[in-house]
Amino acid sequence: MVTKRTTGTGRRIAVLGILTGLGLVAFLLESLIPIPYLPGAKLGFSNIFSMLALVLYGLPDALVVVLVRTFLGSLFAGNISMMLYSTTAGLLSVCACRLMLLLVPRISFVAVSVTGAVLHNLVQLSVYCALAGTAQLFGYAPYLCLLGAVSGAVVGLAVTYTLKSLPVRILPQDRDKGGIK
C-alpha cells in the first residue's frame, strides 16, 4: 500500500542518493585538479551537495551524505588516508553550518558556506599536523583559509541559485527543519 508517508520517504532517499552520487562525482573530479602551491588542496565543490542535503533534509541526512561521499571517494581515488581528513573535517563543518542556520535566522547560504569551508580546511590541517607531529604545516593556514573563503562563496552561491530554481513541488514539505523558512 502506497501512502503519502512512504512516497515522501522514497523521494527523500532517492534525492539523497542523487545528492550523494553527484557529490561523489564532484569529489573525484576535483581531486584531479591540482592547485598550485597548495598540495592536497581541493576546490570543495562537492560540498554543494552536502549543503543542499543539509538545507533540504536536515543534519542527520547531510551527515550521511558526507560520510558516504568521503568513504566512497577515498576508496575510488585510492587514497584511504584522505578519508580520515575529509571525514573529520566534513562532519564538523556540516555541524557548524547547521548550528549557524539555527542560531542566525536570516544568515545567507554564502556566509554559512564560507564559514564551513574555512573550518573544513582548518580541521583537515589540524588533523594532519596532529598525525604528522608537527605544527609547521600551519604556515599553510592563511592560504587554505583564502581558498576556503573563495570556494565557500562559490558553493554558497550555487546552493542559493539551485534552491531558487527548484520548483516548490519537488522540495520537501518539512523544509524548515533544514534551514529554509
Side-chain angles (χ1 to χ4, degrees), residues 61-75:
D61 290 332
L63 292 174
V64 170
V65 168
V66 170
L67 282 171
V68 172
R69 183 194 75 214
T70 55
F71 177 73
L72 291 176
S74 299
L75 280 176

Side-chain angles (χ1 to χ4, degrees), residues 100-160:
M100 288 180 67
L101 288 169
L102 283 173
L103 296 179
V104 186
R106 304 215 14 104
I107 195 166
S108 73
F109 293 127
V110 173
V112 171
S113 182
V114 166
T115 303
V118 170
L119 179 65
H120 187 277
N121 286 346
L122 291 175
V123 169
Q124 276 191 323
L125 186 60
S126 298
V127 169
Y128 187 76
C129 287
L131 291 176
T134 180
Q136 290 180 345
L137 295 171
F138 277 112
Y140 280 124
Y143 306 106
L144 289 174
C145 288
L146 180 62
L147 177 65
V150 171
S151 66
V154 172
V155 167
L157 287 171
V159 169
T160 299

